[in-house]
Amino acid sequence: MKTFALLAAAASAASAHTIFVQLGAGGTTYPISHAIRTPTYDGPITDVTSNDLACNGGPNPTTKSGEIITVTAGTTVKAIWRHTLTSGSGDVMDASHKGPTLAYLKKVDNALADTGIGGGWFKIQEDGFNNNQWGTSTVITNGGIHYIDIPACLPNGQYLLRAEMIALHGASSAGGAQLYMECAQINVVGGSGTASPQTYSIPGIYKATDPGILVNIYSMTPASKYTIPGPPVFKCGGSGGSTPAQTSAAPLTTTTLITSTKTSAAPVPASTTSASTGGGGGCTTAQWSQCGGTGFTGCTTCASPYSCKVQNAYYSQCS
């Protein structure tokens, strides 16, 4: 029984989804959930027409925050992602959850009260598929750090900062893309105010049939072109295009450290194409966890009331 429990725990870590849990700005990394509306569950949003696409919620209820973080325009902030609110830098997101990273801003009158739903959003960062490397893989390699440049030409004031990662392992079928996002509450200072970005609505930035949302990543080669979903990236002096590829930075100086006894699991190979009702060493795995795919050797039994459903030949998940 002890062996089975250990296997189940390892499978749970390996099937990690992800949460934007902390923000680093101005040389300070703020505590977990400080100025961020974090959920207690790390599940995705899969309906791109849902209001939950703005700042999460719905199946992943979020908790309000009473803080606002001051951010200087023209600097780079660090959105920090973890599997859970208590995970360490080695437990960010399962390596199979490949896809782009994105970030958006919305200028608001009151960052504490604005829901984020509706118009006013503009994209400020994106990292898709470059030289066989996905944006999510870069964040995992960086220990969960997602670098986001704040444009220098913005008007000063309060904003919602929406950091997002999209996992495309099941995206070859409609509704299979898994979108992860949270909103941080920030106050931008030092901006020149010389630009007025074109804005968009959330929901509304994505369609279920967008080539960046409905895509088979297993058929892609290093030379393949991936179309990042959503509007173009806003840049001072113009709009459109992509931000430079993110690179690893020096270790963060933090005021609050995330502590965890977890260790990251080895990347999970993918399982059989048929839904399984047993096996996997007698363990069970949670909703949205991998339970099948070519070569997969982990848990194939889903916790009640979920069942193992085939997404494609390479990936099945509990849903």
Side-chain angles (χ1 to χ4, degrees), residues 69-307:
I69 293 174
T70 297
V71 173
T72 302
T75 63
T76 299
V77 300
K78 300 169 184 177
I80 300 173
W81 294 84
R82 297 286 187 260
H83 172 202
T84 71
L85 299 181
T86 58
S87 297
S89 60
D91 190 12
V92 175
M93 187 182 200
D94 188 82
S96 69
H97 287 34
K98 301 180 186 298
T101 64
L102 312 96
Y104 295 80
L105 283 174
K106 177 180 181 177
K107 195 171 191 310
V108 296
D109 294 329
N110 185 344
L112 299 179
D114 196 289
T115 65
I117 298 168
W121 291 98
F122 56 100
K123 186 193 287 183
I124 59 170
Q125 180 271 336
E126 62 181 21
D127 185 15
F129 183 70
N130 303 290
N131 299 318
N132 210 33
Q133 175 84 351
W134 285 98
T136 54
S137 302
T138 298
V139 171
I140 293 171
T141 300
N142 289 344
I145 301 172
H146 175 186
Y147 295 97
I148 302 169
D149 294 334
I150 305 300
C153 56
L154 293 180
N156 293 334
Q158 294 186 17
Y159 289 78
L160 295 179
L161 169 63
R162 178 182 180 275
E164 179 178 34
M165 296 213 282
I166 303 178
L168 300 172
H169 52 283
S172 59
S173 58
Q178 297 182 358
L179 292 82
Y180 301 89
M181 77 299 296
E182 273 76 42
C183 290
Q185 300 160 175
I186 66 173
N187 182 49
V188 172
V189 298
S192 68
T194 57
S196 180
Q198 181 177 350
T199 61
Y200 304 84
S201 178
I202 301 179
I205 51 170
Y206 308 141
K207 294 183 175 64
T209 55
D210 285 347
I213 297 292
L214 183 62
V215 57
N216 181 3
I217 63 172
Y218 303 103
S219 65
M220 297 177 66
T221 69
S224 295
K225 179 176 176 56
Y226 169 73
T227 303
I228 300 173
V233 172
F234 166 75
K235 293 183 178 181
C236 296
S239 62
S242 301
T243 57
Q246 300 175 26
T247 57
S248 299
L252 280 173
T253 299
T254 63
T255 56
T256 300
L257 297 178
I258 301 179
T259 58
S260 174
T261 57
K262 293 185 180 180
T263 57
S264 58
V268 182
S271 106
T272 62
T273 60
S274 60
S276 173
T277 57
C283 57
T284 59
T285 191
Q287 184 186 23
W288 304 121
S289 300
Q290 184 175 7
C291 56
T294 303
F296 178 69
T297 59
C299 294
T300 55
T301 301
C302 299
S304 178
Y306 308 109
S307 60

Side-chain angles (χ1 to χ4, degrees), residues 16-114:
H17 296 310
T18 196
I19 303 172
F20 165 29
V21 298
Q22 287 178 286
L23 186 68
T28 298
T29 298
Y30 291 87
I32 299 166
S33 300
H34 184 94
I36 303 175
R37 306 165 185 183
T38 53
T40 56
Y41 179 61
D42 62 352
I45 300 300
T46 57
D47 180 1
V48 297
T49 67
S50 168
N51 286 341
D52 300 326
L53 192 69
C55 291
N56 209 342
N60 317 306
T62 56
T63 301
K64 291 183 179 180
S65 173
E67 296 89 21
I68 296 176
I69 293 174
T70 297
V71 173
T72 302
T75 63
T76 299
V77 300
K78 300 169 184 177
I80 300 173
W81 294 84
R82 297 286 187 260
H83 172 202
T84 71
L85 299 181
T86 58
S87 297
S89 60
D91 190 12
V92 175
M93 187 182 200
D94 188 82
S96 69
H97 287 34
K98 301 180 186 298
T101 64
L102 312 96
Y104 295 80
L105 283 174
K106 177 180 181 177
K107 195 171 191 310
V108 296
D109 294 329
N110 185 344
L112 299 179
D114 196 289

